[in-house]
Amino acid sequence: QVQLVQSGAEVKKPGASVKVSCKASGYTFTSYGISWVRQAPGQGLEWMGWISAYNGNTNYAQKLQGRVTMTTDTSTSTAYMELRSLRSDDTAVYYCARGIGLRPFDYWGQGTLVTVSS
Amino acid sequence: QSALTQPASVSGSPGQSITISCTGTSSDVGGYNYVSWYQQHPGKAPKLMIYEVSNRPSGVPDRFSGSKSGNTASLTISGLQAEDEADYYCSSYTSSSTLAFGGGTKLTVL
């Protein structure tokens, strides 16, 4: 069965970076892309961007351009999302999901809580 | 401010039907048949309920249906059940090759 398993919770100081992983199993990794979505406490879903696991092409949300980098490691079927220059308003649960572009997000990871606090 | 507009809350009694709207523009909802709906229970990851406006993934009850007219998409849940109480989010592909989410709608089953 398809599974996306994310890395554990992180606590970071303002200005630091965080890298969240998302290990896929149960399907051919390079046949689908991975999207990243975050949810601040008590707030709605925010699309962060996506990456093609086939060729590494990315598309990021404009508000995160310059601070976010999404990568994949096809040898381990793992996607990564790195967010730099963290601010308090980056505190959120970060989800990976299978699907990019026109494809719906049909499977989701369990979420990773990133807390940014001094 | 979310790109797509949803009502903050809707409610209904068990057995009734409710509809949640999702309003965008011709650059997203109105321009593409790539609208999805997600259900999210507290503390859980979102779950895909509807894709490409009106298609249901395997395992989603046929009580859930989707439609679109112009720049507004809608999710209808018929025969409301207690377990349908959750937050619902619409999303749409956009002309910028990005994805927009709605602000979310809290469904309360009375």
Side-chain angles (χ1 to χ4, degrees), chain A residues 39 47 50 59 95 102 105 109, chain B residues 34 38 40 44 89 97-98:
Chain A
Q39 186 170 36
W47 177 75
W50 48 46
N59 193 6
Y95 293 101
L102 305 181
F105 300 168
Chain B
Y34 291 101
Y38 299 90
Q40 186 180 35
K44 300 295 187 181
Y89 294 90
S97 301
T98 62

Side-chain angles (χ1 to χ4, degrees), chain A residues 69-90:
Chain A
T69 300
M70 296 176 188
T71 57
T72 59
D73 181 346
T74 57
S75 68
T76 60
S77 300
T78 303
Y80 298 91
M81 185 285 299
E82 181 180 33
L83 189 60
R84 299 176 293 279
S85 302
L86 289 168
R87 310 187 289 247
S88 58
D89 62 356
D90 290 318

Side-chain angles (χ1 to χ4, degrees), chain A residues 33-37 47 49-51 70 95-101 105:
Chain A
I34 294 288
S35 294
W36 291 89
V37 175
W47 177 75
W50 48 46
I51 180 167
M70 296 176 188
Y95 293 101
C96 63
R98 188 179 80 164
I100 65 172
F105 300 168

